[in-house]
Structure formats: C-alpha cells, structure tokens
Amino acid sequence: MGSLIRANAARAASRTTTAKVSTTKGHAGDVTLGERLRYAFDKSMAAGPVALAGWLALVSLVTIALAATVLALTRLGPDGGFGFGEAAWQSLMRTMDAGTMGGDSGWVFRFVTLFVTLMGILVFSALISIISAGLDSALEGLRKGRSRVLETDHTVILNWSPSIFDILSELVIANASRKNPRIVIMADKDKVEMEDEIADKVPALGNTRIICRSGDPTDLFDLSLVNAQTCRSIIVVSPEGAADPDSQVIKTILALTNDPQRRVERYRIAAELRSADNAEVARIVGGDEVQLVLADDLISRIVVQSSRQAGLSAVYSELLDFDGCEIYTTELEELVGVTYGDAVMGYEDSALIGLRYPDGRVRMNPPMDEVIIAGSRAVIIAEDDAAIRLSPLPDDAIDAAAIRKPATVRRTAERVLVIGWNRRGPMIAFELSRYVKAGSVLTIAGDVPGLAEEIRAMPLGSKNMKVETRIIDTSHAASLEALQPLTYDSIMVLGYSDHMEAQSADTRTLITLLHLRKLSERLGEHISVVSEMIDIRNRELAEVTRADDFVVSNRLVSLMLAQASENEYLSAIFDDLLDEDGSEIYMRPVGDYVDLDLPVSFYTIAEAARRRGETAIGYRRRRPDDGADSRNMGGVVVNPTKSERLSYEPEDRVIVLAED
C-alpha cells in the first residue's frame, strides 16, 4: 500500500510539472479535463485510505443519482415507476444488497438495476480492501512502535545499551510501592526485538509495565512519541554501537530541553557520558535539568579506591542500588542551629553523611563543629524515606571507656600492578597518582596495539608515581609469573573491553585471575587483587578466582543512572565522595577505634569516629557461618542500627567518611 501511494504521488508530481510546462508555452488547452481528474485522483491516492474512501463514496453517489434520474424520467419500474427520491432509495438498496434485484421485472428496468448492483459490488469490494489495508498499516505501525504513548508520571529511557537491563531491574524495585508505574523506552531499534530482550533478561517486572517505541531520540517528532511533557524522569543512556555516543547523548538532551512543545516545569534528566571532556557542553545544553553520569570517570575512581581497600565496591553498590539502603536528601528544619557532629548522633536507624547548602553546594562529612544553617538539606543513608526520623540518644548508648585514641599511621610509597588495558586505563593511572606517596611505581602489563606509546603520552595527577610498561600476553601463566606479582602491594586486572566483545573480555579477565590464584596457592602467599568485570552475570563465575574485590562496570553505571533519575542531587553527592580533595569512604580496622574485648554498640563506634572528624556509616564483618551471601556484599553492612551491640575481631573493618 505504501509503495502504491508513493508511486501515485510520483506520477502526480510528474503530471503537475507537465501541466506547468504546457501552460508556460501557451498551450493551456493541452491539459484536458481527463488529465485534471486523473491528477486529482492521484493526489487522493497519495492522501491515504480516508481519501480513497471519499472517492468511492463519490462514485456511489454519482451512480445512484444517474440511475435515479433515468428511472424518474422514464418512469420505469413497477406500478408506473418511481419519483426521483424513491428511485434514489431503490438504487441505494441495490448497491448495498445484490439480492434486492431478484424480484425486478421488465428488461430495461433490470438492466438499469443490474448496472447499479454491479457498481455497488465494485465499490464495496474496493472499500473492504481499503479498510483491510488501513488496518494492516495501523497494526504494522503498532508493531514498529510508532504510536504516541498516553502515559503520565512515567519514566522515559532513551537509547539502547546493555545497561538497560540493570536500570530496569532497579526501577522495578523502586516502583514496588507506586501505583501503576510505567517505563517507556525509545531507541533506534525494532520494538519487538527490544521487548523480547527485556522479557529474556528482566523476567520479574512486578507491577511495572514496560512500553517500547522505535525512533530516533534526537528527532523532535520521534521524541514526541514518548510524551516527555508528562513524564516523571528521563534517563539518557550512551547508545550501543554508535561511532560518537556522547554526541548522540548531547543532541538528545538538546532536543528535550529546546523542544518548542516542551513543558514549563523543569525536567529531571539523568544522562550517561563516556568522556569527561564532553561534560561542559552537556551542562551548557541541559543546565540544571540534567545530572551527568560520567561512566568512565566513575568506574575509574571506584576501581582505584577498591584496589586500595578490598570490599569497597560492595559499599558503593549498596549505596547505589534500591535493594537495601539508599541515599536521600531531606529538609533540616528541626536541626537548624545544631552542629553537624551533634546531628550525626541524632539518628538511630539512619546515617547522616553530609549537607547540601542553600547555594547548591554539597559537602560530605563537613567539620563536626559546623552549625547547620536554614535552607540546608541533610544527605542521609536510610532504608527508605519513612525511616528518616530523629531519635534521642540513650543514656547508655556510648561506652566511653571502650573508645581508643587515634594512632599515627605513616603512609609509604607503593608498588601497583595493572594487568590488561582499556580506555579507562589512563584515568585510573591519573587518579592513582593523586593518592600515592612519592617514590611509588605503577607497572602496566598488556598486549594491546600501541600500548607503550599511549602510556608514554598519558598525563598524571602528580609526580609521586613512576610508570613502567611490560608488553606480555596476560593470559599466559609464565608471562604473569615473570612479573613477580607477589612483590606488588596491589594488583588491578582490567578487561580488554575496547578490543573485544564484553563476554570475550570477561573470559580473558577470568583466565588471568585463575592464573594469579594458582600462583598464589603454589607460593602460599596472598595476592591482593581487584578486578574489573563488564557483565554482572560473570561475577559469580569470577568468585572461584578468590579475588579480593570485583568492580562490575556496566552495573555501577546502571545503578547510578537509576538512582539519579529518582534523586536530583545524587550526581553532586558522588562527585564529592569520589573526589580525592574531599572526604572519601575508607575501611579501617575496628580495633583502631574501640576495644575488641567486649561487644560494643555502633553508637560507640560512631562517637569514636566523630572525635576524629569522621562519619561512621557501617562495618564489614566476614564470618564463615553467616550463610550464603546472595547479594555478594562480602560481610559489608551499611547503616546498621546504632543501638545494637556486636563483637568484633581484628580483621573486621569500620566504614567511615574521612578526609584522609
């Protein structure tokens, strides 16, 4: 049907041109009435089924009028013939029902009614064909996802990438308490393919309904299909397979914020960018309506911090996913005039970790003697927003005698080994150089093309660290052993995600980890290893390698996007948490804070941290009898009940926010 319409439209355009040329030459009479009618008919064909139905109605009316005129003038028919009105009615009945003419008499009358009946059969047959074609076209449009959604207060996801499935899983958890939640996805991908992939990889949707649409998110007409004007929030993911994904994301933000039909209220947009170099342009385009998740920057910082403190990735995962505790921001009217240090001890089932000031600045773990001013918001870790409430400090909550004084810790130069390489490698090296002391050495081992030249050209954040390069096959056991990994303080294993598919890159990483495990067992010494995984499904397979920690890159980005779509301050909060200049998350021995002889409450640990200018947010207690850890938290507990008394061992850690 579409090809027929296009062909007729082309012929109509050709005839229009011919008519104009003839008129110019002074032969206007060359354009006959028949040609004009054909041109008008072709235009109607191009206009679609409604116009064609109109032509058929016109043919029917002409036929009925002509037959009625003949019958009225000749007075043919039973009982002396019909008048024009009755003749028109008789003709109409014969066009609609061929059986009506069965009782006609008189050959002339029969021929007239036969003509009317045949024309009726022709018209109705054509009408059925048009309706059928129109329905087929409408159904095909629905299959392709080209109809406009009518939802309100829904979440919109634009573009398609492997992150989609983790984002959906998190939003399903967040939507569990909402009524009739809807998520609308639009990408330049077949609607049925999207629906099939989601059904395979996100089977448990709870009460959430997923609606898919095919289209280009940078096109204003296509963008109108998702009804962004009434949405709750918008997530823009980095499109899979795009040559320049950041440009696509920025153009999508531009289309959203500058749409002439956009709503007056501000949007809540969470957008993923791969390169921090494009962040400034994206902020200019999106203004205060967009929160940027710098994917490579986020992963690089967490990899570096996790390499220095095993188990830290579990803390970030707990803060970012909706299954457990999350970060909230709330008004602080009842705490205006109170110091931050006193406010920290005012929550039993929540953890105050920072402040958002009236001017928009966010600071994690501000000075304990800082007085909270009007207009500030609390940054709080809680199981849900209903659990955030002040509670009086019990008289016996703090065991002052169990608190230990801080000991002086001298940091020394470090030796760090990176095995494998991808585009995040230079960011990891830059970030690591800002943490280590002078005299530190970073050795990078890999076998990607141009590795040595890239390493020589990459910038560092300080002069405290020297970089060495080893070109080896990182899946070869003898080559890894030649690196003497036991001589390094920590090891990071990166995936070759820029040169391989995700599964192949993770497989190569698993092989490297297995070789390191075998070497560690043979030499009888522990090797501190943190590995980057791309696909969360390979995390369980990687557990057999007994690495200290795993940073699942795609999942962390997905969690960050999902959380940012619900919390408009989250990006600024994590910018401060992951910045070396501010307070960061540290995991330190519990025995440095309290005596381990008797059980102590977390109130006591929090007080010990407060006296050092730190905010305690949890602990890590690894016990063989704890049972299966379904969430792979490694004994990490964030935001424990502060009044609960527990026994700790020397290897247990307290999780704190601290300057250093």
Side-chain angles (χ1 to χ4, degrees):
M1 186 70 183
S3 61
L4 177 62
I5 291 174
R6 286 193 293 272
N8 285 325
R11 289 200 301 272
S14 175
R15 291 192 180 101
T16 303
T17 305
T18 303
K20 288 181 178 178
V21 171
S22 299
T23 303
T24 303
K25 291 182 178 180
H27 298 285
D30 292 345
V31 183
T32 64
L33 177 61
E35 289 175 333
R36 293 182 186 276
L37 289 174
R38 282 198 302 273
Y39 171 60
F41 178 72
D42 286 343
K43 284 186 66 177
S44 298
M45 289 286 288
V50 175
L52 291 175
W55 273 101
L56 292 176
L58 179 62
V59 170
S60 299
L61 288 175
V62 170
T63 301
I64 292 170
L66 180 62
T69 302
V70 171
L71 292 176
L73 292 176
T74 60
R75 309 302 292 181
L76 293 173
D79 301 328
F82 307 113
F84 182 83
E86 183 63 24
W89 176 257
Q90 293 293 331
S91 299
L92 175 62
M93 292 298 100
R94 283 161 176 76
T95 61
M96 298 179 65
D97 183 5
T100 306
M101 64 174 291
D104 293 344
S105 59
W107 286 107
V108 176
F109 181 68
R110 286 174 177 172
F111 280 126
V112 173
T113 56
L114 176 63
F115 169 74
V116 173
T117 301
L118 290 176
M119 289 299 295
I121 293 172
L122 176 63
V123 167
F124 276 94
S125 298
L127 182 61
I128 291 171
S129 298
I130 291 170
I131 293 173
S132 176
L135 287 174
D136 288 343
S137 178
L139 291 174
E140 181 67 12
L142 289 175
R143 192 198 73 80
K144 291 182 177 180
R146 299 297 296 167
S147 60
R148 189 173 187 270
V149 301
L150 303 177
E151 308 297 332
T152 59
D153 196 35
H154 54 291
T155 300
V156 174
I157 302 178
L158 302 175
N159 295 322
W160 186 266
S161 83
S163 302
I164 286 277
F165 310 112
D166 286 323
I167 293 173
L168 290 177
S169 297
E170 290 303 308
L171 291 178
V172 165
I173 297 173
N175 288 337
S177 59
R178 297 180 58 211
K179 184 179 180 181
N180 298 324
R182 299 289 184 264
I183 300 174
V184 178
I185 303 172
M186 186 172 75
D188 194 8
K189 186 179 177 73
D190 184 76
K191 173 180 181 289
V192 176
E193 288 182 18
M194 290 190 282
E195 291 173 342
D196 289 344
E197 284 195 53
I198 292 170
D200 289 340
K201 297 180 180 179
V202 193
L205 294 178
N207 63 334
T208 300
R209 180 186 170 201
I210 309 294
I211 303 169
C212 295
R213 291 290 180 266
S214 295
D216 181 0
T218 65
D219 182 88
L220 289 178
F221 175 78
D222 288 357
L223 201 57
S224 68
L225 300 179
V226 301
N227 197 15
Q229 283 74 16
T230 63
C231 74
R232 171 185 175 86
S233 60
I234 302 171
I235 299 174
V236 185
V237 301
S238 184
E240 179 184 25
D244 188 0
D246 282 0
S247 294
Q248 289 289 97
V249 171
I250 292 172
K251 285 176 66 179
T252 301
I253 298 171
L254 183 64
L256 284 166
T257 56
N258 290 274
D259 184 353
Q261 305 300 320
R262 64 153 295 165
R263 70 190 188 194
V264 176
E265 299 82 9
R266 62 190 296 272
Y267 288 122
R268 183 188 296 174
I269 305 171
E272 174 189 0
L273 289 181
R274 290 190 180 179
S275 175
D277 295 338
N278 298 316
E280 187 61 32
V281 176
R283 289 190 178 99
I284 293 173
V285 169
D288 65 348
E289 294 181 283
V290 64
Q291 287 191 87
L292 297 179
V293 176
L294 306 179
D296 289 346
D297 188 62
L298 172 72
I299 296 165
S300 301
R301 292 186 181 192
I302 292 179
V303 166
V304 169
Q305 293 193 18
S306 298
S307 71
R308 301 167 61 76
Q309 304 176 85
L312 197 58
S313 69
V315 179
Y316 285 113
S317 295
E318 174 69 0
L319 295 178
L320 284 171
D321 69 18
F322 287 103
D323 188 8
C325 293
E326 301 117 50
I327 295 177
Y328 296 89
T329 57
T330 184
E331 298 290 345
L332 278 175
E333 294 180 3
E334 65 274 27
L335 292 177
V336 173
V338 178
T339 64
Y340 172 78
D342 289 338
V344 163
M345 305 302 290
Y347 296 90
E348 180 180 3
D349 300 314
S350 307
L352 177 64
I353 61 173
L355 300 173
R356 183 184 185 275
Y357 300 105
D359 60 3
R361 290 182 301 113
V362 172
R363 186 172 185 182
M364 298 295 100
N365 185 44
M368 293 295 162
D369 58 357
E370 179 174 322
V371 177
I372 298 172
I373 62 174
S376 298
R377 297 179 68 92
V379 181
I380 293 180
I381 301 173
E383 191 164 349
D384 57 63
D385 51 1
I388 302 174
R389 57 183 179 273
L390 286 169
S391 54
L393 185 67
D395 295 335
D396 60 346
I398 299 173
D399 183 1
I403 297 176
R404 288 184 173 179
K405 293 182 179 180
T408 303
V409 179
R410 285 193 59 191
R411 291 175 54 194
T412 59
E414 303 174 35
R415 299 187 76 242
V416 182
L417 174 62
V418 172
I419 302 175
W421 197 250
N422 56 41
R423 65 178 183 273
R424 290 180 284 276
M427 302 179 201
I428 290 173
F430 181 89
E431 194 69 19
L432 183 63
S433 68
R434 301 173 64 195
Y435 284 92
V436 298
K437 289 296 184 182
S440 298
V441 176
L442 170 64
T443 301
I444 299 172
D447 57 352
V448 300
L451 176 62
E453 292 77 8
E454 183 179 0
I455 291 173
R456 280 196 297 269
M458 71 182 184
L460 296 177
S462 75
K463 297 181 180 180
N464 292 342
M465 186 177 74
K466 183 176 74 171
V467 181
E468 300 174 347
T469 309
R470 300 284 188 273
I471 306 300
I472 66 166
D473 180 358
T474 56
S475 62
H476 188 246
S479 299
L480 290 173
E481 187 170 355
L483 291 173
Q484 298 181 318
L486 288 175
T487 64
Y488 291 90
D489 297 298
S490 61
I491 300 174
M492 288 179 268
V493 180
L494 305 182
Y496 292 100
S497 54
D498 296 337
H499 306 276
M500 299 179 179
E501 294 293 330
Q503 295 303 319
S504 299
D506 278 355
T507 300
R508 183 80 174 268
T509 300
L510 287 170
I511 293 172
T512 301
L513 292 172
L514 286 170
H515 285 319
L516 290 173
R517 172 191 167 182
K518 184 178 179 181
L519 178 62
S520 174
E521 291 175 345
R522 180 162 57 85
L523 298 177
E525 294 188 41
H526 175 71
I527 302 176
S528 178
V529 180
V530 171
S531 175
E532 176 200 20
M533 304 298 295
I534 300 170
D535 194 328
I536 185 63
R537 292 173 293 178
N538 296 320
R539 167 70 186 263
E540 292 183 8
L541 294 175
E543 295 289 345
V544 301
T545 66
R546 299 177 188 170
D548 294 86
D549 206 353
F550 298 96
V551 176
V552 185
S553 52
N554 280 351
R555 177 167 170 77
L556 283 174
V557 174
S558 303
L559 295 179
M560 186 74 172
L561 286 168
Q563 283 278 359
S565 71
E566 297 289 318
N567 185 344
E568 59 182 319
Y569 308 116
L570 195 75
S571 180
I573 291 169
F574 271 83
D575 282 346
D576 191 79
L577 274 179
L578 295 170
D579 190 352
E580 189 268 341
D581 293 333
S583 289
E584 302 142 79
I585 299 176
Y586 291 93
M587 302 180 73
R588 293 172 172 164
V590 178
D592 290 352
Y593 290 78
V594 295
D595 289 328
L596 305 181
D597 298 333
L598 296 172
V600 295
S601 69
F602 199 75
Y603 270 124
T604 301
I605 296 175
E607 175 62 20
R610 186 174 78 113
R611 293 182 183 184
R612 305 178 187 206
E614 302 171 358
T615 302
I617 64 172
Y619 56 77
R620 187 183 73 172
R621 296 169 75 247
R622 306 187 76 167
R623 300 290 185 272
D625 57 350
D626 281 348
D629 185 4
S630 60
R631 297 182 60 202
N632 292 311
M633 295 296 291
V636 168
V637 175
V638 175
N639 184 38
T641 301
K642 292 185 175 66
S643 59
E644 183 182 8
R645 295 179 180 273
L646 295 173
S647 297
Y648 296 91
E649 297 179 2
E651 63 270 19
D652 295 334
R653 295 289 186 268
V654 59
I655 306 169
V656 298
L657 288 176
E659 289 279 349
D660 195 2

